[in-house]
Amino acid sequence: MFDKASWIWQPGDRRPINEHICFRKTFEWTPSSSDHAKLSISADTKFKLWVNGTELGDGPIRSTADHWYYDEFEVAHLLQPGVNAIAVRVWHYGHSNYQYVENEAGLLAQLSLRGPAGAREIGTDETWLHRRHDAYDRDVVKRNVNIGWMEIYDANAMSEEWVLPSFDDEGWSASEIIASYGGGAWGTLHPREIEPLTTQIVKPKQIIALSEIEPIRQVISVNMRDNLFPEARDANAKIFSGFLAVKLVAEAETCGRLTFAHSRWNGVQGRFRIDGQWHVHNDEIRLTAGEHLFLMEICGVHNDLFSHMEFDFDTELRFAHPFEPDREAFFVTIGPFETIESYADGFQPVYGGVEKSTGLNHEHPLLLEIGACTGLAAFEAYKDMCKDVHPRHVLVNKMIYSLMMRKKTLKQYPITNRLERMLHDHLLPGELPSPVQGGDMEIVLDFAKIYVGTLELEMNAPQGTVIDVYGFENRVNGANAYTSGCNNSFRYICREGRQTFKSMTRMGFRYLIVAIRGASAQVNIHRLQLHQSSYPAADKALFRCSDPLLNDIWEISRHTSHMCMEDTFVDCPTYEQVFWVGDCRVSALVNYQLFGSYELVRHCLEMVPRSRSQSPLLLALLPTDWQAAIPMWTFSWIIACKEYAEYSGDGTFYAAIYPEIRRTLEAYRGFLNEDGLFDTSSWNLLDWAPIDIPYVGVVTAQQAQLSQCHYIAADMADSLGLAGEAEELKLHAERLKEAIQAHLWDEESQAYLDGIHRTGNRSKTRSLQTHVLLYLAGCLGERQAAVIEPKLLDPPEDWVKIGSPFFSFYLFEVWHRFGELERTLSQIRTDWGKMIRYGATTTWETFNVFPRSHAHAWSAAPAFVLGNQLLGIEKLEDGYRSIRIVPPETELLWAEGSIPTACGRIDVSWSKEEEKPVMRFAIPAGIRVEEAPERQGDWDIRIQVIE
């Protein structure tokens, strides 16, 4: 596989930041020498591969340092007599995000040729040539900390013909071998276990608006990482205090505002002092002509170390060094005075973005002393404490999110048929009018649904024209709903003439803004299209019923689920694209009902314990080095492992996953206190709701789920013939369960506590969430069950209600066990029907009108519920090897649909419209069918066996 290949890179820096490097290898080939050719390849961080100018694909899939993946491509059909070329572009991030942990850069590849002339191997070594891809700007802002760097591409800097065999690569340099295969930072590689993503072309459906606009004058992005944490390349939260300072120069008296593009979560910000007055975000500020001290106080938790400052003043401000006006550097930092490291070890505070207090001293003497400076002269006393921010780390007007959101509309233009040509495969281009007021031209396009993928542009434009592209998910009353916390964009700088550009940026959006800036002549757009890509999940499931609203809800749930299937399940296509472990359980169950992509589920489940080296609790998301552990997410993973075996019938899975689950439960038992209660410092999230559960202490629902997971592990051990381990696990489960009754039942309120803080304070709330999870875990005491179970249908007014579609899934599980199908359908109509009412094409992250994310996989539960509970099929054996026919008890008149299984698809239709209700089934021969006489009644049940 890689026996003739070594890891290579350019000489010098092995950990470059945001670097694009091109590699080429040419070789001679004749048809008589070989008829089989396979190329194996991997890189750190991402590669894109061409053979003889044909783009084959990219990779690798999400990997961890101890489990790095490679890809294989069949390339024989692309080889040609004579000179052939393998071309690879490697993008090394250099910073961790929520999909990658920072590592060394490298490329590894081997072409294996087989045929009449024997075998030949062409592996990466020093004969492969390389050069930096000069078109990509290294000094850019991030899209956000979740996704990483923004893409800025200058088509004038380098030709894309370097991928062709005929390209003259004189002047390219020899690569350097940095490690043999199996060595270096990556060890032995693993083949991709899942299918490559599929691609389809999606074009915009409508042009919403054409305007001439003027963006905000100055957006200054200051990257403070090298100043404040010079060795840190991780994505972990930075908790610290200090200052950012600069000299502001106003040529004349001016008035305006300073705003910050993001919250503290995605950027550094704080109150700021201009001379003697403190200000906060969006204050009106008046500046006299002259020089002013700008001093921003920093004291908090920040997950990114950029400060994005939007200066919107009457006149443009100048920036100068506070002490030495001739210096190239402008901004300086002081500090940090205090820092707090966060570790998801279960003991120390975990900064998952939810804590009310950082632990920093907001009255630190230096914060108070330096913060009292009323001008440049007073600030001079702290000159020796200041550190210059390198000019490369001060970026002007590269934060496209700000340019799109902070703007003035100078003129609106009618949308003509000549412009709408760009919506089609048209022989003629879409013609943009030239601006008449000296502004930029802006087009807003609607793709009709939220999609995800990479964009391709073909246009005719003058050299130097800047094309900024930005995507967002929703419009409210005709206004764009901008993506707070996500710079969802890229920039393309045109060369002269007709040109095509395909972005590397994976973007989720429904609406797209294309801003054309600085064009010296007319710009025509020939093509703008999305290469929509997702996991190759065929629509095996269908669902329709007599309620059109439920049909619409099923469809938006199906579409959401598909848009959130990449090389893992992800939470959302726009804001994060992150594999959250807790979300995976809901995504997997929906997938079983819709697509039957069992291999993707197994791949995700096997990834989870690879974060063990970072946290005994396992991280809530991966791969990343952000220290965030959510115990419920780990418990959901264990439950999902059980459900995967049940739905897939994969008989090999328990043997592979049980040792990891056993080790995880051993680690979790290490947090039991003297009362046998699970007492930890972690992000103890159950639901987006105001539940009084401690981030340091005991959470009743987590205690119950820990007991439940011990029972699950015991069943796995039993199935593997490990009777002794099974008994031990059951004993632990019983003890955990007993501790709930002994310490967490509140006799006065006749309910279970939500938790106990480590201070000894009992939770002030009682919640539906806690009691739902206690019931599902089988942890209600016998006496308590008689009190609690009726309340799960009719909760007391003072109980905390469900706060998210995610947790509704767990409530629906309870109601299903109670046989309350109509109650579930009514709740789906109410909560998801509101999404339909407001034009949703995907399911929202929350029930709020309007939420942050309009496409969130944890909210796609109706696709599972409707197919699982309304089609009359009950799974009896793993993998649907046997099923029971159970006519649903519902007021609906008819329903029809399909259920994918490991044995094949089950087709169902039933109707109560005629005098005698009828159910029709087409069932694969490999599935044994049992009927439920007590539920059949007058139903006419007809079964067709598919051989």
Side-chain angles (χ1 to χ4, degrees), residues 15 165 171 220 230 241 269 305 401 474 597 624 694 710 796 890 930-931:
R15 293 179 180 266
I220 309 298
S241 58
Q269 63 163 277
L305 291 172
Y401 166 83
N474 193 43
S597 299
T624 188
H710 275 82
T890 174
E930 294 183 8
E931 297 180 10

Side-chain angles (χ1 to χ4, degrees), residues 16 26 229 495 570 844 851 902 924:
T26 57
F229 297 90
R495 63 178 184 272
V570 299
W844 298 348

Side-chain angles (χ1 to χ4, degrees), residues 488-540:
N488 193 35
S489 59
F490 67 87
R491 171 173 288 173
Y492 175 71
I493 302 169
C494 298
R495 63 178 184 272
E496 185 68 31
R498 187 158 174 173
Q499 56 206 283
T500 299
F501 173 68
K502 184 180 178 185
S503 169
M504 288 185 70
T505 300
R506 184 173 176 82
M507 293 171 57
F509 61 88
R510 171 175 172 173
Y511 299 96
L512 200 69
I513 301 178
V514 180
I516 297 95
R517 310 190 195 278
S520 58
Q522 185 177 30
V523 173
N524 292 333
I525 299 178
H526 291 263
R527 184 170 72 247
L528 188 156
Q529 61 190 23
L530 177 72
H531 293 256
Q532 191 275 317
S533 64
S534 52
Y535 196 74
D539 285 335
K540 296 178 182 177

Side-chain angles (χ1 to χ4, degrees), residues 123 262 319 352 442 756-757 823 900 911:
H262 291 328
F319 301 89
E442 179 184 278
I756 302 176
H757 296 258
R823 184 184 296 268
S911 173

Side-chain angles (χ1 to χ4, degrees), residues 98 144-146 235-238 262-269 301-306 351-355 484-485 576 580 621 626-628 683 852:
Y98 290 5
N144 59 22
V145 69
N146 312 73
N236 202 16
K238 296 291 177 284
H262 291 328
S263 68
R264 295 186 183 202
W265 181 243
N266 273 300
V268 177
Q269 63 163 277
V301 180
H302 306 279
N303 269 39
D304 201 3
L305 291 172
F306 277 87
Y351 293 86
V354 292
E355 291 74 8
S484 177
E576 299 184 25
W580 285 92
L621 65 162
W626 179 42
Q627 296 291 290
W683 184 359
R852 179 196 71 145

Side-chain angles (χ1 to χ4, degrees), residues 382-396:
Y382 304 97
K383 178 177 180 180
D384 292 343
M385 298 177 64
C386 292
K387 183 177 181 180
D388 290 354
V389 177
H390 194 286
R392 283 185 55 190
H393 295 155
V394 179
L395 311 177
V396 180

Side-chain angles (χ1 to χ4, degrees), residues 665-704:
L665 294 177
E666 287 172 359
Y668 268 65
R669 290 197 301 274
F671 295 95
L672 299 181
N673 64 20
E674 63 275 9
D675 292 325
L677 297 174
F678 180 63
D679 185 337
T680 183
S681 171
S682 53
W683 184 359
N684 294 331
L685 173 67
L686 302 180
D687 184 20
W688 296 129
I691 314 171
D692 179 20
I693 53 177
Y695 296 122
V696 180
V698 174
V699 177
T700 303
Q702 292 180 171
Q703 180 83 8

Side-chain angles (χ1 to χ4, degrees), residues 1 11 14 32 34 145 190 240 256 296 350 394 401 404 413 531 577 584 601 762 791 799 816 832 858 876 929:
M1 179 179 54
R14 297 276 295 280
S32 60
S34 60
V145 69
H190 300 264
F240 67 98
M296 184 171 76
V350 175
V394 179
Y401 166 83
M404 294 293 185
Y413 292 77
H531 293 256
Q577 302 171 14
C584 179
V601 179
R762 293 149 60 97
K791 295 180 180 180
W799 278 18
H816 181 47
W832 278 263
W858 79 359
L876 296 179
V929 180

